[in-house]
Amino acid sequence: MLLTVIPFILSMHRVASSSGSITLKCKDLKVLQLEIPGMEECLNISRSIEALSSVESVMMMYPFFYRPQSMKLKDGWQLYPLQHYYQQIATETTAWRLSCVNGEFTVCPSYPAAVIVPTAVDDNTLKKAARFHQGGRFPILSYYHKKNGTVLLRSSQPLIGPNRKRCPEDEQLLSAALNRGERGFIIDTRSAQAAKQARMMGGGTESKSSYPCWRRLHGPLERGRPLQESFIKLVEACNDTSLSMDRWLSKLESSKWLAHLKGALSTACLAAQCMEREEACVLVHGAEGTDTTLLVTALAQVILDPECRTLTGFQGLLEREWIKAGHPFHFRCARSAYSHARLKQEAPIFLLFLDCVWQLGRQFPFSLEFNEHLLLVLFEHTYASSYGTFLCNSEKERCLCEVKEKTHSLWSWLNQPSQQKKHLNPLYTYNALVIWPSVEPQSLQLWQGLFLRWIRSSQYLDEAWAEIQRLVTSCEDAPEESAGDRQCHSQPDAAHPHRQTQLGNAG
Amino acid sequence: MEHIRMPKVENVRLIDRISSRKAVLGTLYLTATHVIFVENVSETRKETWVLHSQISSIEKQATTATGCPLLIRCKNFQIIQLIIPQERDCHDVYISLIRLARPVKYEELYCFSFNPKLDKEEREQGWKLVGLKEEYNRMGVPNNYWQISDVNRDYQVCDSYPAEVYVPKSATAHVIVGSSKFRSRRRFPALSYYCKDNNASICRSSQPLSGFSARCLEDEQMLQAIRKANPGSNFIYVVDTRPKLNAMANRAAGKGYENEDNYSNIKFQFIGIENIHVMRSSLQKMLEVCELRSPSMSDFLWGLENSGWLKHIKAIMDAGIFIAKAVAEEGVSVLVHCSDGWDRTAQVCSVASLLLDPFYRTMKGFMVLIEKDWVSFGHKFNHRYGNLDGDPKEISPVIDQFIECVWQLMEQFPCAFEFNERFLIHIQHHIYSCQFGNFLCNSQKERRELKIQERTYSLWAHLWKNRADYMNPLYREDHSQTQGTLRPQTAPCNFLYKFWNGMYNRFEKGMHPRQSVTDYLMAVKEETQQLEEELEVLEERLAELKKVQLNNRKQNSKQQDRNKHIELSTSNNSIANTPQDYSSNVKSFPSRSPSQGDEEDSALILTQDNLKSSDPDLSATSDQESGVEDLSCRSPSGGGCLPSEDSGKDSDEAVFLTV
């Protein structure tokens, strides 16, 4: 087991005079108890584990030493080139261009080197707009909704401050994002009150008078400490074997995890709805623009775009909207739920995203190409990994640490055929439509596969999946050549061309 | 008919409960058997049918500017909210429904007028589908230890018991009658389940009339006889399913529980399932939570917890698990009772049987199980489910809880049951619908007197005929989960008990998974089977052809098969749905006409016409847009037999005319 998996040793006690016992509580929520003969050995082992599991320097972490024989170092790092994705959008619409204004990470340290911005706005304007946003995160394109040409933008909060500062460049940037006469929506992931209060700290939110073409909506989401506490409480409740039936429900309730889930899905749906139904452009931001903002933009894309629901498309989405977008994984996913250390920066915002995707998969069992297992693997690897993919807080840091040169990419491992097979949903069929989930409390469930993974046996459920796999494959391998079969199963569009056309027309 | 004051009201609006913005205009009809709402939208004319016997309450709310709201709550958890323009009309509908929903004579019930157009012979065959004599034979009785007794032949010993009862061979008629006099309602210990492998059995009875100190020699002999019928064990468990406090309180009324000192070799055990009144109010509380309009997560979870519903479900399950364990693992016989032995006892015996014997997890076996533990042993269907107007305090969701226990087990053991969730939902529906005679009355005696089998049809035959709709695709006879005893996880397991959205929010379409895995897999399974059969035929033919050296013809037929395959597979891909109201916390969400989106969705739906639901009870009440999961359903197979289409579509006009 990777030592970094263990956030801390819960307890060490003397079992007998000649042996000791160590309880290890791991970041993937597993709990292990080791009985070690010899008190001296026990102490030594626990000291070593403690030291090794709390390596501070990124460069000393395991990915820098992990050298599997079957993989080449550079593989995988170029699997989802951001520039390519953006270039594609730029060629499809003349209104957007690739900008390298952040080439040296000087304009915005948490943005990647290349970003996509309105063609009408030059790099100088961008630099000025960046100074008007927390951490320099000026509005950039996050997703282009091909169906109706609307775009999803994201940024951090504007630095309006108590004196109601304005920034003409920022206003210019935002109005350039809209076509003439169009109106857009700004979805602030804080409550109206919190957004207003942020002015006292130098932040704030776009005012109607300065941004007349934009209409503001609020979808308040929790982040930071309260979210981490919610995670800790939920894991505690799941592990508490003494709970009776009614106390279980109130513990589940008081963890608030499901409420956060409902909030995240609702806000993402609101953003998606603005784009798909109102045919309007959307800008999402909270405060820093690195947490709830990314949660909303990434989720909205899974809901809207069938490409993001494929195995590789989903990996590309994570690369674009989480890793390159500067979600501070190193800070957020350091210790997981068992740690008592009150780390200010720790928060399971990415886990919340994975849980939302799991809920989507439960409500639309045919529409995601990947299965629960992939989500579990991603959860594990954000907290402790042999691969460099989730290391550091931003592209800038990854460059400094030479992550791409000195570690392996998680994607190249996941995309090996043997791994891919494990992560495919046997029920998947391409679904071109938007998947609107239900966010009623009755429709959301505790993600048992993750939170109860080490607590209850999943044997019977695994057997059921094996049975599903068996049914589907036996259908595919049925009498005829399997090639013909696969085709009909995975590419139904070919057989339904008129449906595609209708969709195109409607959009 | 004389109760219908107002056969037809026009311009009534049916409110969609999820999004209050949506309402459809239509005409409301009251017929002798149904309330029918027909939408005005000309192309669809969608109909919502509700049987009078499904109505659990009618509420007339304060008149508003738009009209007079009428809220109809149904026993199958459907809630219909209508707005009737004229207060006077609303009042008439209200008064009519109040009477129609509470019949006073059995003859008023729907099963006496329901005619599925089967001839006499078919009807008789239908009633013979499930036979208890065969069932006891299957279990291996009569045998050296157990015999069939005719002591209750004319229901003289116990009027709520079946005429044929299985008792230990060593229990003489004298002992049985003596024991019956010492038991509430004379419900003496009788065999419910017998385990061939180790002779252990489950027996059931009512509480003994022991008071503080009374004894009965015959009753003690009776228990002794049960123990002797299992030579492998030197004691039996006596399980009192009530909370200890309740049982003790009963002693003051001359009832109570067995004293271990008076009975030789018994181990006594309380289980602690609450009584019917607690269960009724628990369900009531849970339904209030389900009815909340866009509740927060806390509202929902708190409400669910405060209702105590899942706690009660778990208590029933734990009792079943205890008994199954005693029988299967310890080889010890168990006598189960509660107070009268017809509610909790029925629940617990049937859960234990289901865990013990894979047969009860098949479709046929499940019908037998309900027939055995519920129908024959005098579960008071009429009182509990309010078929006839009666004491509201007698009503309680006893069998609903058992059905939910089965669902909870299905969630934990997805491959163990031959039937699917829909099977359970439809059985629940028909327990209240009174469309079939199976669940009429309170006892076998009453049913015989009413000549139910000659005058009504059996639900089991109807379900059996449509069994393709109720199959669990994951069930396989040779799968490990279908073998032997089911052992659910017991501790810690609270989180294993989940809210059953599919039942209690059955009609809130938007809340359910948008794609049905069951239906998809069923289609896949059938397709594979078909292809395999075709392959067989082809191989035979190939063998023949080889003889005459004409190989190339095979290629053509293969091509045809593949084309067919393509058609079928693509049909599973359809999903379309509409967003719900995600902006409840946004004060003024732009309300541009969503016409564009709607067109798009309905256009998609139209291409799916051939895939329309086989489930009229569901499609009839949902709007097209959100009727998503139905789309991937199998093609209709005998739709006239499913719940809301009770009367059969062909009789629509006839019903209107009788008004």
Side-chain angles (χ1 to χ4, degrees):
Chain A
M1 186 189 351
L2 266 180
L3 285 174
T4 49
V5 172
I6 304 154
F8 80 118
I9 297 173
L10 172 77
S11 64
M12 210 196 58
H13 60 271
R14 201 181 286 262
V15 171
S17 57
S18 59
S19 72
S21 152
I22 300 178
T23 306
L24 302 177
K25 293 199 162 185
C26 307
K27 291 179 187 175
D28 64 356
L29 311 181
K30 195 181 345 189
V31 179
L32 292 174
Q33 188 153 355
L34 306 175
E35 308 239 321
I36 293 158
M39 206 51 210
E40 190 66 19
E41 285 89 339
C42 185
L43 275 169
N44 284 338
I45 288 171
S46 89
R47 271 192 217 111
S48 311
I49 293 178
E50 232 156 28
L52 290 168
S53 64
S54 50
V55 172
E56 282 300 317
S57 158
V58 171
M59 307 278 289
M60 291 304 285
M61 285 182 170
Y62 187 59
F64 287 92
F65 306 98
Y66 180 60
R67 292 289 176 270
Q69 289 190 328
S70 60
M71 289 162 72
K72 287 204 205 95
L73 262 181
K74 292 217 166 141
D75 286 358
W77 286 111
Q78 288 310 317
L79 267 178
Y80 305 105
L82 199 58
Q83 300 210 358
H84 181 248
Y85 177 83
Y86 286 161
Q87 197 66 58
Q88 218 178 342
I89 295 170
T91 50
E92 272 173 45
T93 75
T94 49
W96 297 87
R97 71 179 178 96
L98 199 67
S99 164
C100 293
V101 68
N102 198 38
E104 306 291 320
F105 306 112
T106 46
V107 178
C108 171
S110 62
Y111 271 175
V115 291
I116 183 161
V117 293
T119 315
V121 178
D122 62 26
D123 284 358
N124 261 332
T125 314
L126 293 178
K127 282 183 193 164
K128 286 182 185 146
R131 272 182 240 132
F132 189 60
H133 281 273
Q134 184 171 4
R137 295 176 70 94
F138 56 92
I140 57 168
L141 182 137
S142 146
Y143 166 66
Y144 172 67
H145 195 39
K146 244 180 251 175
K147 207 156 112 190
N148 59 15
T150 55
V151 295
L152 181 63
L153 309 168
R154 55 178 158 75
S155 70
S156 61
Q157 63 178 342
L159 300 173
I160 288 167
N163 299 326
R164 295 174 190 269
K165 253 192 305 189
R166 289 180 66 164
C167 172
E169 288 80 6
D170 188 50
E171 289 163 25
Q172 189 194 337
L173 172 55
L174 277 188
S175 61
L178 301 175
N179 290 324
R180 187 168 306 144
E182 264 181 12
R183 286 159 62 87
F185 290 97
I186 294 173
I187 295 180
D188 195 318
T189 61
R190 302 162 294 181
S191 67
Q193 203 195 358
K196 213 169 163 186
Q197 276 171 355
R199 282 217 310 267
M200 302 313 292
M201 308 294 291
T205 192
E206 290 81 356
S207 68
K208 191 137 186 70
S209 55
S210 316
Y211 301 84
C213 298
W214 293 86
R215 191 146 164 213
R216 214 172 59 229
L217 304 170
H218 293 271
L221 299 180
E222 206 59 77
R223 64 201 182 102
R225 193 67 215 164
L227 195 62
Q228 176 67 9
E229 243 142 43
S230 166
F231 180 35
I232 292 172
K233 274 192 190 163
L234 177 60
V235 171
E236 264 173 20
C238 292
N239 283 316
D240 188 346
T241 53
S242 66
L243 284 183
S244 66
M245 189 66 223
D246 38 359
R247 288 203 33 234
W248 155 248
L249 282 173
S250 61
K251 280 257 184 156
L252 181 63
E253 191 279 326
S254 70
S255 82
K256 297 275 182 261
W257 183 262
L258 293 176
H260 297 320
L261 204 63
K262 180 169 154 51
L265 277 168
S266 305
T267 306
C269 286
L270 183 65
Q273 212 172 0
C274 288
M275 296 179 73
E276 169 80 13
R277 286 294 169 120
E278 304 294 319
E279 304 200 320
C281 296
V282 174
L283 166 67
V284 181
H285 71 69
E288 290 97 337
T290 53
D291 295 290
T292 50
T293 305
L294 304 180
L295 176 64
V296 171
T297 56
L299 260 182
Q301 292 178 51
V302 179
I303 291 165
L304 288 169
D305 187 357
E307 287 312 313
C308 295
R309 298 177 220 138
T310 64
L311 186 60
T312 51
F314 187 65
Q315 292 174 12
L317 176 79
L318 298 185
E319 190 69 29
R320 264 190 297 122
E321 288 298 296
W322 288 95
I323 299 167
K324 295 233 167 63
H327 176 65
F329 280 101
H330 182 69
F331 286 152
R332 300 290 183 262
C333 308
R335 309 297 276 179
S336 187
Y338 289 129
S339 173
H340 291 316
R342 298 222 145 213
L343 293 172
K344 251 192 181 159
Q345 296 269 21
E346 176 97 24
I349 196 100
F350 184 70
L351 171 61
L352 188 62
F353 167 72
L354 293 177
D355 198 341
C356 288
V357 174
W358 181 80
Q359 306 283 344
L360 287 172
R362 213 189 63 80
Q363 293 193 24
F364 296 89
F366 305 153
S367 296
L368 303 185
E369 194 190 15
F370 48 89
N371 60 16
E372 176 180 24
H373 194 239
L374 177 79
L375 301 176
L376 292 174
V377 167
L378 289 169
F379 161 70
E380 284 172 16
H381 282 268
T382 50
Y383 282 92
S385 177
S386 324
Y387 302 94
T389 300
F390 292 113
L391 287 182
C392 303
N393 293 312
S394 64
E395 274 302 276
K396 184 184 175 184
E397 286 184 21
R398 273 183 280 271
C399 283
L400 285 174
C401 296
E402 296 178 285
V403 167
K404 287 179 196 174
E405 287 75 32
K406 294 185 171 163
T407 74
H408 286 285
S409 157
L410 175 66
W411 309 135
S412 52
W413 177 64
L414 283 179
N415 288 320
Q416 290 175 350
S418 61
Q419 284 300 318
Q420 257 184 357
K421 227 162 82 192
K422 288 188 211 163
H423 302 137
L424 287 173
N425 171 10
L427 296 171
Y428 175 70
T429 36
Y430 180 83
N431 169 17
L433 300 173
V434 176
I435 51 172
W436 299 112
S438 161
V439 296
E440 298 297 324
Q442 289 95 320
S443 309
L444 302 177
Q445 284 191 1
L446 176 71
W447 184 6
Q448 297 207 357
L450 186 122
F451 293 104
L452 306 176
R453 189 174 178 191
W454 311 108
I455 297 162
R456 58 115 172 91
S457 150
S458 63
Q459 182 200 339
Y460 303 118
L461 304 181
D462 295 343
E463 283 173 1
W465 275 108
E467 198 62 22
I468 290 175
Q469 184 81 54
R470 197 187 66 89
L471 281 175
V472 174
T473 5
S474 73
C475 173
E476 279 167 7
D477 299 345
E480 312 104 295
E481 306 98 331
S482 54
D485 267 297
R486 258 232 75 83
Q487 193 197 356
C488 74
H489 186 234
S490 59
Q491 299 176 3
D493 308 311
H496 265 257
H498 59 284
R499 190 195 305 168
Q500 282 287 298
T501 345
Q502 271 173 354
L503 253 184
N505 291 344
Chain B
M1 259 38 57
E2 71 272 21
H3 310 304
I4 301 172
R5 291 180 166 209
M6 193 74 198
K8 176 178 169 187
V9 188
E10 280 173 349
N11 295 319
V12 173
R13 272 174 307 142
L14 179 70
I15 308 290
D16 186 304
R17 292 193 52 255
I18 292 277
S19 65
S20 50
R21 275 176 284 186
K22 264 192 261 170
V24 283
L25 205 61
T27 306
L28 184 73
Y29 298 91
L30 297 193
T31 75
T33 53
H34 289 79
V35 182
I36 306 159
F37 179 83
V38 183
E39 284 181 19
N40 284 353
V41 183
S42 53
E43 8 6 312
T44 49
R45 308 271 305 163
K46 207 164 63 76
E47 296 167 10
T48 305
W49 291 58
V50 176
L51 261 172
H52 295 327
S53 49
Q54 285 289 3
I55 297 175
S56 105
S57 75
I58 312 143
E59 198 180 308
K60 208 176 106 196
Q61 295 165 327
T63 311
T64 64
T66 52
C68 190
L70 194 68
L71 193 66
I72 303 173
R73 289 193 183 82
C74 300
K75 295 168 180 174
N76 60 4
F77 312 114
Q78 184 169 22
I79 297 176
I80 292 179
Q81 195 173 359
L82 300 167
I83 295 185
I84 298 173
Q86 297 294 322
E87 206 279 331
R88 200 170 37 89
D89 292 344
C90 184
H91 185 73
D92 283 345
V93 170
Y94 174 73
I95 295 292
S96 311
L97 282 182
I98 286 223
R99 175 61 188 84
L100 290 167
R102 288 172 199 164
V104 289
K105 294 196 304 277
Y106 281 119
E107 281 72 11
E108 287 179 50
L109 293 174
Y110 184 38
C111 56
F112 291 101
S113 58
F114 171 65
N115 183 0
K117 303 203 170 69
L118 295 175
D119 60 33
K120 187 165 167 261
E121 202 166 312
E122 284 172 298
R123 183 173 66 200
E124 282 168 7
Q125 280 306 316
W127 281 111
K128 280 181 194 145
L129 187 71
V130 169
L132 288 186
K133 211 163 200 160
E134 291 94 311
E135 170 54 13
Y136 281 97
N137 283 336
R138 187 194 67 85
M139 288 187 223
V141 283
N143 59 16
N144 284 338
Y145 307 109
W146 295 90
Q147 65 180 4
I148 189 165
S149 162
D150 63 354
V151 67
N152 200 35
R153 201 170 44 238
D154 301 313
Y155 308 105
Q156 274 171 353
V157 177
C158 172
D159 61 0
S160 61
Y161 260 20
E164 288 171 350
V165 217
Y166 292 81
V167 290
K169 226 172 191 171
S170 60
T172 61
H174 171 74
V175 167
I176 296 170
V177 173
S179 164
S180 81
K181 286 179 181 155
F182 190 64
R183 295 268 166 187
S184 273
R185 318 249 175 203
R186 301 194 150 211
R187 293 170 66 91
F188 57 89
L191 182 70
S192 163
Y193 180 72
Y194 173 77
C195 180
K196 249 196 300 233
D197 300 338
N198 60 9
N199 299 318
S201 64
I202 302 174
C203 293
R204 56 184 289 173
S205 70
S206 60
Q207 64 186 339
L209 304 177
S210 52
F212 290 99
S213 58
R215 293 182 63 164
C216 166
L217 184 63
E218 289 86 356
D219 194 58
E220 289 162 25
Q221 286 171 337
M222 186 75 189
L223 266 61
Q224 187 81 337
I226 292 171
R227 184 182 63 76
K228 279 190 196 143
N230 178 10
S233 167
N234 53 15
F235 71 96
I236 64 168
Y237 282 112
V238 175
V239 170
D240 190 327
T241 57
R242 299 168 292 182
K244 189 173 183 185
L245 215 62
N246 300 17
M248 283 167 71
N250 264 302
R251 287 203 302 199
K255 300 165 188 173
Y257 54 93
E258 291 82 355
N259 183 342
E260 279 191 9
D261 299 337
N262 298 341
Y263 294 83
S264 53
N265 306 316
I266 66 163
K267 281 195 184 167
F268 189 83
Q269 179 88 31
F270 285 113
I271 293 270
I273 302 172
E274 297 292 347
N275 64 27
I276 58 167
H277 311 294
V278 175
M279 299 306 193
R280 180 178 54 244
S281 88
S282 171
L283 178 67
Q284 188 52 43
K285 281 185 202 154
M286 184 174 73
L287 292 180
E288 280 164 20
V289 177
C290 296
E291 234 184 279
L292 289 177
R293 223 173 268 219
S294 38
S296 72
M297 207 72 208
S298 295
D299 293 340
F300 175 71
L301 290 174
W302 269 117
L304 188 58
E305 161 161 335
N306 286 337
S307 76
W309 181 258
L310 288 176
K311 181 178 75 184
H312 299 314
I313 294 293
K314 186 174 181 293
I316 296 164
M317 201 79 129
D318 286 345
I321 293 170
F322 174 85
I323 293 164
K325 223 170 137 190
V327 170
E329 285 169 25
E330 298 177 55
V332 176
S333 296
V334 184
L335 171 66
V336 186
H337 69 72
C338 46
S339 296
D340 290 319
W342 51 38
D343 294 318
R344 285 168 276 200
T345 300
Q347 288 175 330
V348 167
C349 288
S350 47
V351 168
S353 300
L354 195 76
L355 292 172
L356 283 166
D357 195 330
F359 172 65
Y360 297 125
R361 291 173 235 144
T362 66
M363 217 174 278
K364 194 71 143 305
F366 192 68
M367 299 173 183
V368 169
L369 182 64
I370 291 186
E371 204 61 42
K372 167 172 80 82
D373 280 334
W374 297 81
V375 178
S376 85
F377 272 107
H379 176 65
K380 301 200 295 173
F381 281 93
N382 176 36
H383 285 165
R384 293 293 173 261
Y385 312 116
N387 296 341
L388 294 187
D389 193 23
D391 182 0
K393 286 212 171 75
E394 284 280 328
I395 293 176
S396 187
V398 182
I399 200 166
D400 301 63
Q401 288 183 315
F402 165 64
I403 290 173
E404 176 165 341
C405 286
V406 181
W407 178 80
Q408 301 279 2
L409 281 171
M410 276 163 64
E411 285 288 292
Q412 292 177 41
F413 299 91
C415 306
F417 292 83
E418 190 191 21
F419 47 86
N420 58 30
E421 178 183 20
R422 194 180 301 151
F423 185 62
L424 298 179
I425 290 175
H426 285 187
I427 290 176
Q428 192 273 353
H429 178 99
H430 284 299
I431 281 164
Y432 290 93
S433 77
C434 301
Q435 182 179 346
F436 297 93
N438 304 60
F439 310 121
L440 245 47
C441 308
N442 291 321
S443 66
Q444 193 181 72
K445 181 175 179 234
E446 284 183 40
R447 275 188 296 275
R448 293 236 166 124
E449 284 165 3
L450 261 181
K451 299 197 181 354
I452 290 294
Q453 299 208 355
E454 285 133 72
R455 299 165 72 192
T456 72
Y457 294 86
S458 167
L459 170 65
W460 306 132
H462 165 75
L463 293 177
W464 187 247
K465 198 173 85 198
N466 300 298
R467 59 189 173 277
D469 289 331
Y470 302 121
M471 287 285 189
N472 171 13
L474 300 182
Y475 178 83
R476 195 154 43 89
E477 264 175 48
D478 53 350
H479 194 282
S480 61
Q481 287 184 30
T482 59
Q483 318 300 314
T485 307
L486 283 189
R487 292 186 173 81
Q489 211 169 330
T490 43
C493 65
N494 294 313
F495 41 72
L496 291 177
Y497 293 91
K498 291 188 277 194
F499 172 72
W500 189 5
N501 201 12
M503 177 65 96
Y504 304 107
N505 282 315
R506 178 183 161 195
F507 292 90
E508 312 291 354
K509 301 285 290 171
M511 286 186 191
H512 303 298
R514 308 309 167 89
Q515 297 164 315
S516 163
V517 174
T518 303
D519 290 331
Y520 171 76
L521 290 177
M522 233 24 245
V524 164
K525 208 171 173 177
E526 270 169 34
E527 184 189 353
T528 312
Q529 211 168 4
Q530 215 173 1
L531 288 169
E532 272 165 7
E533 280 163 19
E534 277 168 22
L535 176 72
E536 225 167 88
V537 174
L538 286 172
E539 272 172 350
E540 272 170 33
R541 209 156 90 205
L542 183 65
E544 282 168 32
L545 288 170
K546 263 185 181 155
K547 286 180 200 158
V548 280
Q549 302 287 312
L550 274 171
N551 276 337
N552 52 349
R553 282 191 55 198
K554 174 196 149 209
Q555 210 56 38
N556 294 336
S557 49
K558 255 173 102 173
Q559 196 60 45
Q560 280 168 12
D561 291 340
R562 193 191 308 161
N563 293 343
K564 209 164 158 191
H565 190 165
I566 289 173
E567 274 168 41
L568 213 159
S569 296
T570 51
S571 68
N572 299 312
N573 184 44
S574 50
I575 72 137
N577 68 328
T578 46
Q580 56 184 94
D581 184 10
Y582 297 114
S583 52
S584 52
N585 50 359
V586 178
K587 274 184 209 123
S588 52
F589 190 73
S591 55
R592 213 186 70 179
S593 150
S595 62
Q596 172 123 31
D598 285 347
E599 270 162 31
E600 176 192 314
D601 287 333
S602 46
L604 279 159
I605 299 276
L606 289 177
T607 66
Q608 304 297 338
D609 261 352
N610 51 333
L611 307 165
K612 262 219 138 165
S613 158
S614 65
D615 223 352
D617 58 327
L618 296 177
S619 65
T621 46
S622 71
D623 60 323
Q624 271 205 329
E625 284 179 303
S626 55
V628 172
E629 60 264 49
D630 298 345
L631 293 176
S632 52
C633 280
R634 330 147 21 76
S635 59
S637 52
C641 319
L642 288 140
S644 289
E645 226 182 24
D646 310 320
S647 64
K649 278 287 175 221
D650 46 355
S651 60
D652 287 2
E653 269 141 306
V655 177
F656 288 133
L657 290 174
T658 61
V659 173

